[in-house]
Amino acid sequence: MKNSLYLILVFVLSLSCKAQNSVSKLTQTSTNPKLVVGIVVDQMRYDYLTRFYNKYGEGGFKRMMNEGFNCKNNHFNYVPTYTGPGHASVYTGTTPKYHGIIANDWYDKEIKSMVYCAGDDAMQSVGMETSDGQMSPHRMKTTTFSDENRLFTQMKGKTIGISVKDRGAILPAGHTANAAYWFYGKDKGYFITSSFYMNSLPKWVQSFNNSNKVQTYLKPWNTMYDIETYTESGSDKNTYEGGFKGKETATFPYDLKALEDKNGGLDILKTTPYGNSIVADFAIAAIDGESLGQDDITDVLAVSFSSTDYVGHNFGVNSKEVEDTYIRLDKDLERLFNELDSKVGKGNYTVFLTADHAAVDVPAYLESVHVPSGYIDNKEQYQKINEFMVNKFGDTKLIESVTNNQIFLDREKIKELHLNLEDVQESIVNEIITYPHIDKAYSAATMNKASFTEGIESLLQKGFNQKRSGDVLFVYDTAYISYGKTGSTHGSAFNYDTHVPLLLFGKGIKHGETIQKTEITDIAPTMSALLGISFPSGTIGKPLEFVLE
C-alpha cells in the first residue's frame, strides 16, 4: 500500500514538474519579440543624430533614443567601408575576412574579371524582364542572424529584405530568406526580386506595383521647413554639389517631374528623400502582405534606406539636401513605427538602426577651410606604377587590376618569369609608398603573416580575404579621395567613414546610452542572444549585454 502511494506521489510530482517545464518553455518563447526590424541607413554619419537633433520630431530617431539604447561610439572595424560589405557585416557579425564580401564590385582572381557582390547570372529577374533581377546572396560565405532565426524556427519565422538597392535587400536577408525586394525605377517604378526566392511576385507586391504610388512622388522637392532655418548645414548655392541634369544650379526647389526625362526616369527618386518614403511605403505593405509579427514565432524585416547614400554622393555631407533628407527620413521612421505599434503591438517588436558606412566631407570644401584634404589622380598614379613595372621587371602585364585600393598581380605570369611572388609584392609596396598622398601600403604576405591588433593596419587585416583580396593594399592620406570634385564618398578606415549610429529599442532592450566603443560586428550576436538562437556561422563580435534587459 505504501509502495503504491509512493508511486502515485512520484507520478503526480513528475506531472507537476513537466507542467512547470512546459509553462517555463512557453514563457521563454513568449518573451521573444514577434518581429525584429533591422534598419540600415545608407551613408549615415553618427553626427547626423546630433547635428539635426532639434529638427527631428518625437516619433522617429528621438523615439529610439528616448525609449531605447544609444551606442554613441559605434564603429566599423574593417575596411573598405562600402555598401555591400557594410550590410553583410551588420547581419553576419563578421568582416570581409570571413564573409567574403570584400567590396561592392571586385576583381575575381579565378575568372579574371570584375564581379558584383550580389550578381548571379544563374538567376532570373522576377517582376520585370531585366538583368537587374539576376541576383542572389551566393557570394556571401557565412550566415546572417536572419538565417539562424529561420533555421531555429524550422523555417517558420519569415525573413523579408527591402531596399532601393539590390545588395541592401539581399545581403541582410541572407541565404534562407522568404524574399528580398529592390527598386526598379526607369519607366516603371516597380519592386522586383530574383528567381532565387520565387518564380512570381506575391499579389500584395503586384498590387503595390500597380497602385502608381511611386509616381505620386514625382513632384517638387523643396525643404520641409523654411530653408533659412537649416542652419546646421552650409549654403544652398555653392561649388561642392552635383545636382541634376537639366537644372543649372544645385539649389532648392527641384521640380522632379520636369527633371525626370534627363535623370533616368523614376530613378531620379532614388536621389531624393522620396526614395526613402517609397521604401517605407513598401515595408508597411510587407507587414500586412506577409502578416509579419502576427504569431509567437519571430519574423525578421530587414529594411535599408538607400536614398541617403545617393543624396550624399550627389550633394555632399554639409548640404541642405542632406539635412532635408534626414528630416524627412525621421518622418518616415515615425510612420513605420506607428504602423508597427498598430499591427504588431507596442512592446511586441524590437528595432535596431545603424548604417553601412558614413562619409567624408567634400574635400574641396575642407580645402576651403584649411583642413588637409584633396583628390587623387588615378590616371597619373597608374602610369607611374606601369613605368615602375617596366623598369623593374620588364613587363607591365604583371598587374591584372587596380581596384578598391588593391593591386592584383598575374601570379601565373610571375611563375613563368621565375619571379618570387612576395618579392614582387614588396617591391611594389616600396615603390608606391613614395607616391604623394599614399600613406600606407602592405603586401598580401604581410596581411597573412602579421597580427595587427590596433589602428588602420588592424582594420585592413579584418577586411582582407586571403582568397579574394589583392596582392598589395594601400591607404590614402586622410580626406584624400579618388572621386569627383562635387559630393561625398566613403570607403576608408578613418573615423569619418567608420563612426555610425547604433540605436536599439523595443522588446528586450534597456533604456540608456554609452560612450563605450562598440563595433558593427556586435549587432548580429546581440540579436541572436536576444532571440536565444545560434550566432551566425562566422561571427567575431560579442553580444552587447548592457543593452539587453
Side-chain angles (χ1 to χ4, degrees):
M1 184 69 178
K2 286 182 180 179
N3 287 341
S4 298
L5 288 171
Y6 176 78
L7 289 171
I8 290 169
L9 182 61
V10 168
F11 179 71
V12 169
L13 286 171
S14 68
L15 286 176
S16 176
C17 288
K18 286 180 180 179
Q20 287 179 7
N21 285 338
S22 297
V23 170
S24 176
K25 286 178 181 177
L26 285 169
T27 303
Q28 184 178 1
T29 302
S30 67
T31 61
N32 279 356
K34 293 183 176 183
L35 177 64
V36 172
V37 181
I39 298 173
V40 176
V41 182
D42 205 321
Q43 202 187 117
M44 185 174 183
R45 292 163 55 111
Y46 174 79
D47 66 358
Y48 291 159
L49 283 179
T50 53
R51 269 177 61 198
F52 307 142
Y53 184 85
N54 291 331
K55 293 291 193 298
Y56 295 143
E58 297 300 319
F61 290 116
K62 282 186 181 178
R63 179 176 175 185
M64 295 197 75
M65 289 185 270
N66 293 335
E67 294 184 17
F69 206 97
N70 184 1
C71 296
K72 297 181 174 183
N73 191 19
N74 186 58
H75 288 263
F76 277 86
N77 55 346
Y78 66 87
V79 285
T81 41
Y82 295 145
T83 299
H87 282 80
S89 298
V90 168
Y91 281 81
T92 63
T94 192
T95 69
K97 180 176 182 179
Y98 300 107
H99 63 57
I101 304 299
I102 63 170
N104 294 334
D105 305 87
W106 65 86
Y107 182 76
D108 188 308
K109 294 184 281 192
E110 292 185 14
I111 64 174
K112 309 286 187 187
S113 68
M114 296 295 292
V115 296
Y116 176 55
C117 62
D120 191 343
D121 291 340
M123 298 298 133
Q124 298 300 315
S125 181
V126 175
M128 274 291 299
E129 291 186 13
T130 170
S131 60
D132 292 17
Q134 291 185 280
M135 304 288 166
S136 84
H138 75 107
R139 288 194 169 92
M140 184 167 64
K141 293 184 164 189
T142 59
T143 61
T144 61
F145 84 81
S146 41
D147 283 324
E148 296 300 335
N149 185 63
R150 289 273 286 159
L151 294 169
F152 181 83
T153 62
Q154 302 302 311
M155 301 297 176
K156 294 173 185 175
K158 286 186 176 181
T159 297
I160 306 293
I162 297 168
S163 180
V164 162
K165 295 181 181 178
D166 47 55
R167 57 187 180 272
I170 291 167
L171 299 174
H175 302 276
T176 61
N178 300 82
Y181 301 102
W182 51 97
F183 184 70
Y184 177 90
K186 301 177 185 177
D187 61 332
K188 294 296 182 183
Y190 287 173
F191 276 88
I192 64 171
T193 189
S194 158
S195 58
F196 179 83
Y197 306 101
M198 62 191 72
N199 294 319
S200 61
L201 293 177
K203 287 184 179 179
W204 70 266
V205 179
Q206 294 179 41
S207 295
F208 185 93
N209 286 343
N210 293 331
S211 69
N212 289 323
K213 178 78 172 176
V214 169
Q215 284 77 0
T216 65
Y217 289 105
L218 276 176
K219 57 186 180 181
W221 172 24
N222 208 342
T223 53
M224 176 165 279
Y225 306 123
D226 184 345
I227 196 168
E228 297 302 321
T229 68
Y230 282 33
T231 55
E232 298 82 5
S233 46
S235 60
D236 190 32
K237 188 174 183 179
N238 58 68
T239 59
Y240 313 123
E241 301 175 9
F244 294 110
K245 293 176 183 176
K247 191 174 191 302
E248 191 173 332
T249 59
T251 54
F252 283 106
Y254 298 94
D255 186 344
L256 302 182
K257 183 65 178 173
L259 296 169
E260 173 190 7
D261 290 342
K262 293 184 178 180
N263 293 274
L266 289 162
D267 277 335
I268 192 175
L269 296 174
K270 295 178 182 179
T271 314
T272 76
Y274 301 137
N276 292 329
S277 299
I278 292 165
V279 168
D281 292 339
F282 192 76
I284 289 168
I287 293 168
D288 279 336
E290 296 290 343
S291 300
L292 298 178
Q294 296 306 302
D295 56 33
D296 289 333
I297 300 173
T298 304
D299 299 320
V300 176
L301 176 61
V303 182
S304 177
F305 291 104
S306 302
S307 290
T308 42
D309 184 68
Y310 288 107
V311 175
H313 277 294
N314 193 354
F315 298 97
V317 163
N318 201 42
S319 65
K320 293 197 186 301
E321 287 81 0
V322 160
E323 179 168 357
D324 192 67
T325 296
Y326 277 89
I327 291 170
R328 290 176 182 274
L329 174 59
D330 183 61
K331 301 294 184 187
D332 287 323
L333 291 174
E334 182 174 1
R335 282 200 299 130
L336 177 59
F337 297 158
N338 287 342
E339 192 72 13
L340 290 167
D341 288 343
S342 172
K343 296 294 171 62
V344 183
K346 190 173 182 179
N348 287 331
Y349 62 90
T350 306
V351 180
F352 70 81
L353 182 149
T354 188
D356 55 347
H357 53 75
V360 65
D361 258 300
V362 179
Y365 166 69
L366 293 177
E367 285 178 314
S368 75
V369 293
H370 311 298
V371 175
S373 55
Y375 297 90
I376 304 297
D377 186 337
N378 281 338
K379 188 175 180 181
E380 180 183 332
Q381 202 174 76
Y382 297 163
Q383 186 177 341
K384 289 180 71 173
I385 293 174
N386 284 331
E387 288 173 1
F388 165 76
M389 297 303 285
V390 169
N391 294 333
K392 180 74 176 179
F393 303 108
D395 198 336
T396 60
K397 294 181 181 178
L398 291 179
I399 294 178
E400 289 185 336
S401 178
V402 182
T403 51
N404 300 313
N405 288 18
Q406 298 182 31
I407 298 172
F408 293 79
L409 298 175
D410 186 336
R411 297 189 175 195
E412 292 177 6
K413 195 163 187 64
I414 286 172
K415 283 181 183 177
E416 288 175 14
L417 297 175
H418 304 292
L419 297 170
N420 180 278
L421 177 62
E422 290 189 21
D423 289 345
V424 176
Q425 290 174 351
E426 286 301 326
S427 294
I428 295 172
V429 166
N430 292 332
E431 167 67 13
I432 66 173
I433 198 62
T434 66
Y435 295 175
H437 307 304
I438 287 187
D439 186 52
K440 299 182 186 303
Y442 295 96
S443 67
T446 298
M447 287 290 111
N448 286 324
K449 293 176 182 178
S451 181
F452 299 112
T453 57
E454 60 183 10
I456 288 175
E457 292 80 3
S458 174
L459 273 64
L460 281 170
Q461 197 162 49
K462 286 188 177 74
F464 179 82
N465 185 280
Q466 190 174 12
K467 201 161 187 175
R468 293 181 175 177
S469 295
D471 291 277
V472 173
L473 291 72
F474 55 90
V475 177
Y476 294 133
D477 282 339
T478 310
Y480 275 79
I481 61 173
S482 173
Y483 199 67
K485 294 293 179 73
T486 59
S488 298
T489 193
H490 50 86
S492 79
F494 297 110
N495 284 325
Y496 53 71
D497 279 338
T498 67
H499 190 193
V500 297
L502 175 55
L503 302 174
L504 308 96
F505 94 112
K507 192 161 192 175
I509 304 298
K510 290 180 181 176
H511 174 228
E513 60 184 36
T514 184
I515 56 171
Q516 174 183 328
K517 186 173 184 180
T518 58
E519 295 181 331
I520 211 73
T521 50
D522 296 332
I523 297 172
T526 300
M527 291 298 103
S528 290
L530 174 70
L531 299 178
I533 63 177
S534 295
F535 290 4
S537 56
T539 293
I540 62 170
K542 296 179 181 179
L544 302 174
E545 57 182 338
F546 51 83
V547 312
L548 300 176
E549 288 182 339

